[in-house]
Amino acid sequence: QVQLKESGGGLVQPGGSLRLSCAASGSINRVNDMRWYRQAPGKQRELVATITRGGSTNYVDSVKGRFTISRDNAANTVYLQMNSLKPEDTAVYYCNAGIWYASVFSDYWGQGTQVTVSS
């Protein structure tokens, strides 16, 4: 079985920083693209950032210059460094990854971690 486990959420003041982590565990053959999504109350889930296995990245316009996605392929882990946080960044953040497991490729999700930006 494959599991994605997020950590690092919490309460932070506007202008502050947080670092999210997401580790994939299980008998994994290979992890392809890894992504962070977020969902604010009453809103649709939004793709925040993507990183390929080779390290290419993409960001939604609202976080460009403030958030950085990175990964450790050996540890099957993806990170999201969030700086200059704004109240509108408040959401549940979800990790997502395309993973080869037992020769089957599937999309996996973490359980989510709450990020609250408030004074």
Side-chain angles (χ1 to χ4, degrees):
Q1 276 286 38
V2 174
Q3 287 188 328
L4 295 182
K5 175 72 172 175
E6 298 110 335
S7 60
L11 173 64
V12 64
Q13 292 187 342
S17 298
L18 281 175
R19 189 190 194 210
L20 306 182
S21 300
C22 172
S25 61
S27 299
I28 295 168
N29 300 128
R30 179 185 174 95
V31 180
N32 285 4
D33 290 2
M34 303 186 84
R35 306 171 190 87
W36 287 99
Y37 285 79
R38 66 185 179 186
Q39 188 165 21
K43 294 189 176 181
Q44 289 190 331
R45 191 169 294 191
E46 172 187 48
L47 176 59
V48 175
T50 301
I51 186 166
T52 68
R53 185 172 180 82
S56 297
T57 60
N58 266 299
Y59 300 91
V60 67
D61 284 347
S62 59
V63 308
K64 284 181 180 177
R66 301 188 297 122
F67 290 10
T68 302
I69 189 171
S70 61
R71 66 188 286 170
D72 180 341
N73 288 335
N76 292 327
T77 299
V78 63
Y79 306 96
L80 187 67
Q81 177 66 44
M82 304 184 294
N83 299 327
S84 302
L85 282 160
K86 304 175 181 180
E88 51 264 42
D89 295 317
T90 296
V92 178
Y93 284 70
Y94 296 91
C95 171
N96 167 263
I99 296 176
W100 284 97
Y101 167 72
S103 302
V104 175
F105 184 79
S106 300
D107 222 28
Y108 291 88
W109 291 87
Q111 82 288 350
T113 185
Q114 177 70 46
V115 171
T116 302
V117 185
S118 175
S119 54

